[in-house]
Amino acid sequence: FGSDVDIHLPSFEVFAPDVSHRLRHGGAVAVVKEEGAALCFTYDGGAAMTGIALSPLSRGKGLGKKLLLELLSLTDGDFFVAANDINKEFYLRNGFELWGSVCFGSLE
């Protein structure tokens, strides 16, 4: 992945039903807690994380790492996430390696 990659996200009307379908049929794994949630899409041989969401009051307390570790424990194989500059340091601090400019590889 390079910075010249043009990524288009689907509209909510497309994305929400897709996530719901994947969760029901084993194509996604989610961890949902009172303080936040994490979601990844699974595929044969790995998982691609779509993100971690925390309430503003829950940030900076180690809850993101807790959600990340729980999500990793529920998946097998390669695990990667595309991150922006704002949360890039979070993944580096938690053992991920940078692959290109926005993609991070799994903890080994």
Side-chain angles (χ1 to χ4, degrees), residues 26-106:
V29 176
V31 177
V32 180
K33 305 283 184 192
E34 186 175 313
E35 63 272 3
L39 172 71
C40 72
F41 294 126
T42 56
Y43 59 90
D44 190 23
M49 191 166 90
T50 60
I52 295 174
L54 295 173
S55 70
L57 295 175
S58 298
R59 295 180 186 153
K61 299 178 181 178
L63 300 172
K65 182 175 184 172
K66 183 178 177 182
L67 288 169
L68 176 63
L69 292 175
E70 189 168 341
L71 193 62
L72 284 165
S73 75
L74 297 172
T75 58
D76 293 321
D78 295 330
F79 190 97
F80 71 93
V81 61
N84 60 29
D85 286 337
I86 294 170
N87 55 20
K88 188 183 289 189
E89 289 302 317
F90 169 80
Y91 295 103
L92 292 172
R93 276 194 318 270
N94 285 289
F96 281 70
E97 295 178 357
L98 184 60
W99 297 348
S101 63
V102 296
C103 188
F104 291 83
S106 67

